[in-house]
């Protein structure tokens, strides 16, 4: 794996760090491929129950690498499938992925954070879709995921004016799950990820799948999907263990089956 992506294991949590400090963690194929490879490894590791994706104190990612793409023409972007190869790997991860965002999350950086299952923001975080300033538009979910997260009015405002939204506004509008003082971002995010990873892995994955389903289906279809998954959870040894442990007033020992 190239060193633009660093990955570490913290107990049952896989941590992926974007590492292009010279370019505010701007995204290119190496970064996207590196993230995908790290996710592949964490998905294959039965010990890992949750993944955290982060950047630096200054930038989660300031978008796609502008210098790299500035001379592309349509045919080149289309034929090389620019940045698209592996882009969706975060979305297809079955284990939860938390974006820990400090500093800038702009353009593709904001879109990448939104592709994660939730965003924990440092109080220094700034989100935006400034592509319009470059004579282009969001290309990886900014016009689709942002309105779902913050509503049409704010999404239009951000995409059309290119203004940035700070962490407080992002929390108020539903884009981020938590705002955390910058110096505690990693500690708090890893703690939450460890809490998740301590539960039964099949249940973690079923919950993630069911919540994501709510964005793809009618309420009744979503409720049916949830009900089927809930009933299926009674086929798990971990359900027997979880409920027995409650009744016996002890901590459950989940076996991920
Ligand atoms: N690309 C390349 N280099 C970048 C960069 C970027 N996006 N952002 C920052 N840098 C570089 C700067 O050029 C500078 O490099 P040097 O001059 O030191 O060599 C260094 O990082 C530090 O940046 P600044 O000097 O500008 O630092 P400031 O604190 O003054 O400003 C900033 C920070 C983040 C506000 C500013 O750098 C900025 O506005 N950056 C550009 C943000 C932007 O427009 N982002 C949107 C890019 S378009 C897709 C997937 C993704 C995408 C599309 C499709 N598919 C899957 C199909 C994404 C598209 C985009 O993101």
């Amino acid at each position: 794996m190239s060193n633009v992506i660093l990955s570490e294991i913290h107990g049952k949590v896989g941590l992926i760090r974007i590492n292009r400090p010279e370019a505010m963690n701007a995204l290119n194929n190496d970064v996207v491929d590196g993230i995908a490879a790290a996710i592949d490894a964490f998905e294959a590791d039965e010990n890992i129950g949750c993944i955290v994706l982060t950047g630096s104190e200054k930038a989660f990612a300031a978008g796609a690498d502008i210098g790299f793409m500035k001379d592309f023409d349509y045919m080149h972007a289309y034929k090389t499938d620019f940045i698209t190869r592996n882009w969706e790997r975060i979305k297809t991860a079955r284990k939860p992925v938390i974006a820990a965002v400090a500093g800038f999350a702009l353009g593709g950086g904001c879109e990448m954070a939104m592709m994660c299952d939730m965003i924990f923001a440092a109080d220094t975080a700034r989100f935006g879709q400034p592509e319009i300033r470059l004579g282009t538009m969001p290309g990886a979910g900014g016009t689709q995921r942002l309105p779902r997260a913050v509503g049409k009015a704010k999404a239009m405002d951000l995409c059309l004016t290119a203004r940035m939204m700070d962490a407080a506004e992002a929390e108020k509008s539903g884009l981020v799950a938590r705002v955390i003082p910058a110096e505690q971002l990693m500690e708090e995010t890893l703690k939450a990820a460890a809490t998740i990873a301590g539960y039964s892995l099949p249940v973690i994955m079923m919950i993630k799948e069911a919540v994501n389903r709510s964005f793809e289906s009618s309420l009744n279809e979503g409720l049916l999907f949830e009900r089927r998954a809930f009933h299926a959870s009674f086929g798990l040894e971990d359900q027997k263990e979880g409920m027995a442990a409650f009744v016996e007033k002890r901590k459950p020992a989940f076996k991920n089956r």
Side-chain angles (χ1 to χ4, degrees):
M1 192 184 306
S2 77
N3 62 4
V4 294
I5 293 301
L6 308 173
S7 75
E8 299 162 15
I9 291 177
H10 294 253
K12 291 166 82 67
V13 177
L15 174 65
I16 304 171
R17 193 183 288 278
I18 307 170
N19 179 44
R20 289 193 73 210
E22 73 287 358
M24 292 271 179
N25 285 341
L27 306 168
N28 58 22
N29 283 330
D30 286 346
V31 172
V32 175
D33 292 350
I35 292 171
I39 291 176
D40 285 346
F42 290 145
E43 289 266 276
D45 185 342
E46 171 86 7
N47 176 55
I48 299 293
C50 189
I51 298 168
V52 174
L53 175 63
T54 196
S56 68
E57 282 171 20
K58 280 192 183 154
F60 177 76
D65 192 315
I66 299 166
F68 179 69
M69 66 180 165
K70 72 180 178 33
D71 295 324
F72 286 1
D73 60 17
Y74 169 69
M75 250 315 114
H76 178 80
Y78 182 72
K79 284 209 277 201
T80 60
D81 214 7
F82 167 57
I83 220 175
T84 305
R85 183 186 72 217
N86 279 326
W87 178 264
E88 302 268 310
R89 186 62 186 96
I90 296 171
K91 192 187 98 174
T92 59
R94 300 183 73 205
K95 297 175 183 177
V97 183
I98 304 176
V101 175
F104 298 108
L106 302 178
C110 184
E111 294 170 318
M112 183 173 271
M114 289 192 291
M115 204 169 20
C116 297
D117 296 301
M118 56 184 148
I119 302 174
F120 285 7
D123 49 12
T124 57
R126 303 189 73 190
F127 300 88
Q129 298 291 159
E131 291 89 342
I132 196 166
R133 265 203 212 122
L134 302 170
T136 183
M137 63 176 286
T143 66
Q144 302 302 306
R145 288 197 176 96
L146 193 58
R148 283 169 169 79
V150 305
K152 177 180 167 183
K154 222 173 252 296
M156 283 285 187
D157 181 7
L158 291 169
C159 292
L160 290 173
T161 69
R163 81 169 174 89
M164 292 185 213
M165 178 158 76
D166 66 17
E169 184 182 358
E171 186 183 36
K172 200 170 71 179
S173 51
L175 181 65
V176 310
R178 305 184 191 181
V179 178
I180 299 165
E183 57 286 1
Q184 290 159 27
L185 177 69
M186 285 322 297
E187 190 190 328
E188 289 296 313
T189 307
L190 288 172
K191 205 157 84 181
T195 298
I196 294 168
Y199 299 125
S200 167
L201 183 57
V203 179
I204 295 169
M205 296 195 303
M206 286 157 89
I207 291 172
K208 167 172 169 161
E209 212 172 16
V211 173
N212 282 333
R213 197 75 195 163
S214 73
F215 288 93
E216 309 291 345
S217 58
S218 67
L219 179 59
N220 274 332
E221 287 303 316
L223 287 169
L224 185 60
F225 185 88
E226 179 193 72
R227 188 69 34 82
R228 291 289 170 263
F230 169 69
H231 285 159
S233 76
F234 284 82
L236 293 170
E237 283 181 32
D238 285 343
Q239 173 272 329
K240 299 287 170 292
E241 168 62 10
M243 293 195 184
F246 177 83
V247 171
E248 292 159 21
K249 301 191 187 306
R250 61 174 173 82
K251 210 168 170 275
F254 294 125
K255 293 186 181 144
N256 295 339
R257 46 180 199 250

